[in-house]
Amino acid sequence: MRRVLLFGSGTELWEQVQRTLASRPELDVSAARSLQQVMAELAAFAPHLILADVDAPGLSRLGILDQLARRPGSPPVAILTAVDSAQLAVRALRQGAVDYVVLTPGTLARLPERLGALLDAARPPSAEASARTAGRHDAHFLDSPEMMHVVDHQGRIVDANRAELEALGYSHGEYVGRPFLDVVRPDCRQTVHEAFGAVVRGKPVQSLETTLVTKDGHPMDVEITAFPETAGSHVVVVRAIMRNITARKHDEHRRERRHQQQLQTQRELTARSQAELERVAAELVTKTRLATLGQLSASIAHDLRNPLGSIRNAAFYLKRHLGAEHARIRPFLDLIDEEVQKADEIITNLLGFARAKEPVKGPVDLRKLVECAFAQSRHGPGVECNMQGIPERYVVWADHSQFRQVLLNMIQNALEAMGEKGELAVEASRDEDYDTIVFRDTGPGVLPAIRHRLFDPLATGRAEGIGLGLAICRQIVEAHGGTIDLLEGEQAGAAFRIRLPREPQGQDG
């Protein structure tokens, strides 16, 4: 016979429930009106199921669930009430109730059948089955090398074997009775809680990976397999087997880090390759433009120099034969000479692209060449050239004529930028492979808009310039195997750096 204990307030409704259930021959029904009576009936009557009111006497709402949760071996509890609340029903089921029945005339008539299903689920295991379970527990549980534990339907640890206690650092007394979630790392608890809920509903969990925290605070990666142990269709306890996979996870993390590093390296190589392709493409475009410009220059330079020569000769003739009465005309003739000279320099620069030659390198005294180039440059009386940064008898390995052209262009650019007053400083230094020459001026600096194309042909920041000086410098320096660039971060003026390979056997200086 199935034993059912009613725990309610003794109202007419509960009297009617008791009469309905007592009329069924397969049920043995008893009633309690206080928690003390319930505890006494648990020992004397040993009910298979408790039907409790949501507001049982002497307890807070659903308080009976909390009370019985603290008592090992308590029978399942179904809530029987007139309070129709979905929120309250969910709360009751989460606290361990096996059912939530709202009493109406219809549900009261069907109550015996509903209780029959609950009692079937709550049928305790037979003595023979219990003995078999205990035998398995003794033989495989206590001394297994794998971590094992048993939890009740509320997730509290009922027992744990020696391997698990030693791995986590707890004594048996410290470990048993606490919620298993206490030893799960906080960020993993939700996943473990959901998996435990599935097991309580009868669905085993295979190979759940999570992280525990040992008593001394160290993380431990484990793989959990959990399965329900039932009595009839009711889950009595949940058994779990855990395997320490910390070393494996470390290996996986190490492989993942190595894989990410390889991906990063591959991305960097791809980026470098892409940048190199873009550089080569830009260089090809530049060379194509230079070649086109050179061809154009070569075709028109001869035709331009002939009439320029005629203009220069005519101006010279007029200067020789004009009398004193035409003195006011003489400045205009000087202006013609100056402009013809500028035009001739432009033509010379244009021809530099068309007639680029391989440098014939030899030792070049840098200080003397700078002095010569500065003396030949057009500059105001307030402009100085400071060469204190050039060591005495500093020799570079270059084509004398071509490098002189580079120095002339660099110095002339600086002088035109500074105007009538300023200082041009030239510095030189060397390492094992390169000579480095830096030109610093006190002018206004380089416009940001042309920095990225400063060395391209026809790029200029001055209204009177045509933008060939730096392009020629780059062409010559690169033909020497060197580099030329604009130094960034200068507080005032502009600074250009030239790097030239040293003589393979070394040079004096």
Side-chain angles (χ1 to χ4, degrees):
M1 183 174 291
R2 311 294 183 83
R3 294 183 294 277
V4 179
L5 177 62
L6 301 180
F7 180 31
S9 57
T11 61
E12 175 59 32
L13 180 60
W14 275 91
E15 294 294 339
Q16 188 176 0
V17 170
Q18 185 172 355
R19 288 194 298 271
T20 300
L21 297 180
S23 66
R24 303 299 293 255
E26 73 275 13
L27 299 178
D28 185 3
V29 181
S30 183
R33 299 290 182 263
S34 68
L35 180 60
Q36 290 78 5
Q37 292 181 14
V38 170
M39 294 303 176
E41 287 294 302
L42 289 177
F45 184 60
H48 299 119
L49 181 69
I50 298 177
L51 295 181
D53 191 356
V54 70
D55 294 309
L59 295 172
S60 61
R61 176 160 284 188
L62 297 177
I64 185 62
L65 296 174
D66 292 331
Q67 291 293 330
L68 293 180
R70 300 172 190 156
R71 186 181 184 280
S74 297
V77 179
I79 299 300
L80 194 63
T81 180
V83 180
D84 188 2
S85 168
Q87 183 177 4
L88 194 58
V90 170
R91 178 181 160 193
L93 294 173
R94 284 180 174 174
Q95 288 184 229
V98 296
D99 203 353
Y100 186 94
V101 182
V102 179
L103 281 174
T104 65
T107 58
L108 182 58
R110 295 190 298 273
L111 185 58
E113 288 76 15
R114 190 162 184 172
L115 292 185
L118 292 175
L119 287 164
D120 287 340
R123 185 190 299 274
S126 65
E128 182 182 356
S130 297
R132 288 198 302 270
T133 300
R136 290 197 302 272
H137 187 87
D138 291 341
H140 302 290
F141 182 86
L142 296 177
D143 297 322
S144 173
E146 293 186 321
M147 295 179 284
M148 294 184 180
H149 65 256
V150 180
V151 296
D152 61 19
H153 65 282
Q154 290 185 322
R156 293 185 178 275
I157 300 169
V158 175
D159 202 358
N161 72 348
R162 187 179 298 109
E164 184 161 332
L165 295 174
E166 291 177 353
L168 295 175
Y170 290 97
S171 67
H172 191 272
E174 292 173 327
Y175 198 53
V176 172
R178 68 168 57 216
F180 178 68
L181 288 179
D182 280 1
V183 298
V184 178
R185 197 172 66 187
D187 61 302
C188 302
R189 288 175 182 171
Q190 183 62 33
T191 301
V192 174
H193 176 71
E194 293 172 357
F196 174 76
V199 180
V200 170
R201 292 190 296 272
K203 297 180 179 179
V205 169
Q206 298 286 336
S207 302
L208 171 68
E209 293 186 3
T210 190
T211 304
L212 308 184
V213 179
T214 64
K215 183 180 178 180
D216 58 6
H218 290 94
M220 177 191 295
D221 295 309
V222 297
E223 181 183 81
I224 302 177
T225 297
F227 53 91
E229 191 163 293
T230 61
S233 59
H234 178 65
V235 175
V236 179
V237 293
V238 173
R239 292 183 177 273
I241 301 173
M242 299 194 301
R243 183 175 294 105
N244 189 339
I245 59 171
T246 303
R248 191 190 82 191
K249 297 298 288 186
H250 284 174
D251 288 341
E252 290 177 358
H253 293 326
R254 187 162 51 250
R255 287 195 297 271
E256 178 62 21
R257 285 194 300 270
R258 186 160 52 247
H259 177 62
Q260 291 300 325
Q261 290 170 354
Q262 291 172 346
L263 288 179
Q264 180 63 25
T265 301
Q266 185 175 2
R267 285 192 289 266
E268 292 173 356
L269 289 174
T270 301
R272 284 200 292 268
S273 299
Q274 182 65 28
E276 181 65 15
L277 285 174
E278 292 174 357
R279 186 194 67 78
V280 171
E283 187 176 292
L284 181 60
V285 170
T286 300
K287 288 181 177 179
T288 302
R289 291 176 61 189
L290 291 176
T292 302
L293 182 60
Q295 292 171 1
L296 177 62
S297 302
S299 65
I300 66 174
H302 180 73
D303 294 335
L304 285 175
R305 269 185 165 159
N306 284 337
L308 285 175
S310 298
I311 293 172
R312 181 185 290 111
N313 291 335
F316 177 78
Y317 179 83
L318 289 175
K319 284 182 182 181
R320 291 285 301 271
H321 293 86
L322 283 176
E325 67 275 14
H326 298 102
R328 63 186 182 84
I329 299 177
R330 190 170 295 277
F332 294 99
L333 296 175
D334 292 337
L335 178 62
I336 291 174
D337 269 343
E338 291 176 4
E339 295 304 316
V340 168
Q341 176 64 28
K342 289 181 181 179
D344 189 63
E345 290 176 0
I346 292 173
I347 292 173
T348 299
N349 287 337
L350 287 171
L351 287 174
F353 286 106
R355 300 173 179 174
K357 299 178 181 179
E358 285 294 320
V360 180
K361 297 181 183 181
V364 175
D365 188 317
L366 180 63
R367 178 182 281 271
K368 289 183 179 180
L369 201 58
V370 170
E371 289 175 347
C372 179
F374 184 74
Q376 292 180 1
S377 301
R378 299 182 300 274
H379 56 82
V383 176
E384 297 180 356
C385 182
N386 183 348
M387 293 184 289
Q388 293 181 3
I390 305 177
E392 290 291 339
R393 204 162 146 26
Y394 192 94
V395 177
V396 296
W397 193 248
D399 183 301
H400 187 279
S401 176
Q402 293 184 11
F403 198 60
R404 176 178 171 276
Q405 182 66 47
V406 170
L407 294 181
L408 281 171
N409 289 356
M410 296 299 299
I411 291 173
Q412 193 62 49
N413 276 358
L415 297 177
E416 291 176 359
M418 291 187 292
E420 295 298 317
K421 185 178 181 180
E423 180 183 85
L424 170 64
V426 185
E427 307 163 1
S429 62
R430 63 169 45 117
D431 55 29
E432 292 183 0
D433 301 314
Y434 286 90
D435 284 301
T436 301
I437 307 161
V438 178
F439 300 83
R440 300 181 189 273
D441 65 54
T442 57
V446 179
L447 295 173
I450 66 169
R451 281 177 177 265
H452 67 285
R453 55 186 182 89
L454 190 60
F455 296 95
D456 291 347
L458 309 181
T460 180
R462 301 194 306 273
E464 67 276 10
I466 64 171
L468 285 175
L470 289 177
I472 292 174
C473 288
R474 184 177 71 171
Q475 185 184 55
I476 294 174
V477 169
E478 290 182 350
H480 279 69
T483 61
I484 180 171
D485 59 354
L486 173 69
L487 294 179
E488 301 290 343
E490 296 296 312
Q491 296 182 353
F496 291 86
R497 177 179 59 190
I498 294 174
R499 301 185 77 225
L500 293 177
R502 296 184 61 185
E503 181 186 7
Q505 293 78 23
Q507 65 249 35
D508 295 331

